[in-house]
């Protein structure tokens, strides 16, 4: 059923077997060399160990980063002093407004107390007696004593449900107002720093960025970084400084990026508004030019009509 075909040898008899063996040995030798030259796969554990060791060491500051930090120091000092003056002026104005409001409330409360005391002296005691009697009758019918805390359970649960609904509500303004009620709006006196203190904090914060990653930033350094991101965001456009902020505080780095993105959006909006105004001005000028041409045409036609009427007359 099956036919076995005779296999012909493909080996060229012109070359002796020793040459073929030598050629195969050379190919295998080259293949082995190529495989040995391929780099080994890096071990993740070794990489993580190297990274952890680097995190425990301070990073040297490059010349370009040091120059940029020195460049923005006077700019930051000027901006910080201006910010302190604005905050101080706002604090003083709020204090003055609160003082005037408290005086008006004191006068109103005094007037209300005097009027209430006069009305209380003029009231008839029969009303008090009737109210006490009605309260006693109600409590005897329900079997509960007046002022029993059990009567307020429903009201408390209703208030709690209302508060939860306000916190989870999606209506505009409801949740914001609920949260704002829990935040103290009392004005706080700003901390006024001298020029030397501002420079010292600036340098201290920049030095803290180059400390080991495992060393956390202090609250004062974080606050200074936020002020720097607000007042001189161009400082963090340097790759090395931005990398140190990201390594020391990723959350703060995200805030800085968001702030810069919003600045770019605002700048683009300003450009768009200017372009829109220019376009509207050009359209208005084109309409006015067309209107003037139309009026000139009407004037020419009226002049021709008047001339024609004079000829007929």
């Amino acid at each position: 059923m099956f036919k076995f075909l005779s296999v012909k040898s493909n080996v060229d008899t012109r070359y002796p077997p020793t040459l073929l063996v030598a050629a195969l040995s050379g190919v295998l030798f080259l293949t082995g060399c190529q495989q040995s030259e391929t780099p080994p796969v890096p071990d993740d554990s070794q990489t993580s160990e190297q990274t952890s060791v680097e995190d425990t060491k301070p990073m040297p500051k490059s010349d370009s980063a040091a120059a940029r930090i020195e460049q923005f120091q006077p700019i930051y000092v000027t901006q910080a002093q201006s910010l302190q003056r604005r905050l101080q002026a706002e604090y003083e104005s709020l204090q003055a407004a609160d003082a005037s409001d408290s005086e008006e409330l004191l006068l109103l409360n005094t007037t209300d107390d005097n009027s209430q005391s006069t009305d209380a002296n003029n009231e008839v005691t029969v009303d008090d007696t009737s109210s006490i009697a009605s309260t006693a009758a109600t409590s005897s019918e329900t079997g509960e004593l007046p002022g029993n805390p059990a009567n307020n359970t429903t009201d408390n649960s209703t208030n709690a449900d209302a508060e939860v609904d306000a916190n989870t509500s999606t209506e505009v303004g409801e949740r914001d107002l609920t949260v704002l009620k829990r935040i103290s709006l009392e004005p706080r006196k700003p901390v006024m720093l001298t020029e030397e203190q501002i420079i010292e904090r600036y340098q201290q914060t920049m030095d803290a960025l180059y400390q080991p990653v495992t060393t956390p930033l202090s609250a004062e350094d974080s606050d200074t970084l936020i002020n720097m991101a607000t007042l001189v965001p161009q400082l963090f456009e340097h790759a090395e400084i931005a990398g140190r902020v990201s390594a020391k505080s990723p959350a703060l780095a995200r805030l800085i990026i968001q702030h810069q993105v919003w600045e770019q959006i605002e700048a683009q909006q300003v450009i768009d508004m200017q372009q829109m105004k220019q376009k509207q001005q050009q359209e208005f000028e084109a309409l006015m030019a067309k209107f003037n041409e139309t009026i000139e045409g009407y004037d020419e036609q009226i002049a021709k009509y008047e001339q024609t009427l004079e000829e007929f007359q």
Side-chain angles (χ1 to χ4, degrees), residues 110-142:
T110 304
T111 306
D112 293 340
D113 293 339
N114 293 333
S115 61
Q116 289 177 1
S117 61
T118 304
D119 295 338
N121 293 330
N122 295 331
E123 286 182 355
V124 183
T125 56
V126 178
D127 296 337
D128 297 337
T129 306
S130 60
S131 62
I132 294 172
S134 61
T135 304
T138 304
S139 61
S140 62
E141 292 177 359
T142 57

Side-chain angles (χ1 to χ4, degrees), residues 29-96:
F29 177 75
L30 291 175
T31 306
C33 292
Q34 291 177 358
Q35 291 178 356
S36 61
E37 290 175 357
T38 57
V41 179
D43 190 0
D44 295 337
S45 61
Q46 294 179 357
T47 306
S48 61
E49 290 177 358
Q50 292 176 359
T51 304
S52 61
V53 171
E54 291 177 357
D55 291 343
T56 57
K57 296 180 181 180
M59 178 179 176
K61 191 182 301 181
S62 65
D63 295 338
S64 61
R68 193 172 187 86
I69 292 172
E70 184 178 359
Q71 174 188 358
F72 278 90
Q73 175 182 314
I75 302 174
Y76 173 73
V77 172
T78 304
Q79 295 291 339
Q81 289 176 339
S82 177
L83 176 63
Q84 288 183 163
R85 289 192 294 268
R86 291 198 303 270
L87 293 176
Q88 182 66 25
E90 292 177 0
Y91 173 76
E92 293 176 356
S93 62
L94 290 174
Q95 287 290 99

Side-chain angles (χ1 to χ4, degrees), residues 209-245:
L209 286 181
Y210 285 86
Q211 294 302 314
V213 177
T214 55
T215 304
L217 293 173
S218 63
E220 182 176 303
D221 293 337
S222 298
D223 184 64
T224 305
L225 274 176
I226 293 174
N227 290 335
M228 293 164 63
T230 305
L231 300 176
V232 285
Q234 297 84 3
L235 170 64
F236 301 98
E237 293 178 0
H238 193 277
E240 180 180 310
I241 301 175
R244 293 308 300 172
V245 176

Side-chain angles (χ1 to χ4, degrees), residues 276-293:
M276 185 177 66
K277 288 181 180 179
Q278 292 178 357
K279 185 177 180 180
Q280 290 177 351
Q281 183 67 25
Q282 292 174 357
E283 292 178 353
F284 177 76
E285 292 176 355
L287 289 174
M288 289 299 298
K290 186 175 181 180
F291 177 77
N292 292 332
E293 291 178 359

Side-chain angles (χ1 to χ4, degrees), residues 13 42 102 105 109 112 140 156 167 187 214 256 261 308:
T13 57
S102 60
L105 289 175
N109 292 333
D112 293 340
S140 62
N156 294 333
N167 288 332
T214 55
I256 294 174
V261 168
T308 304

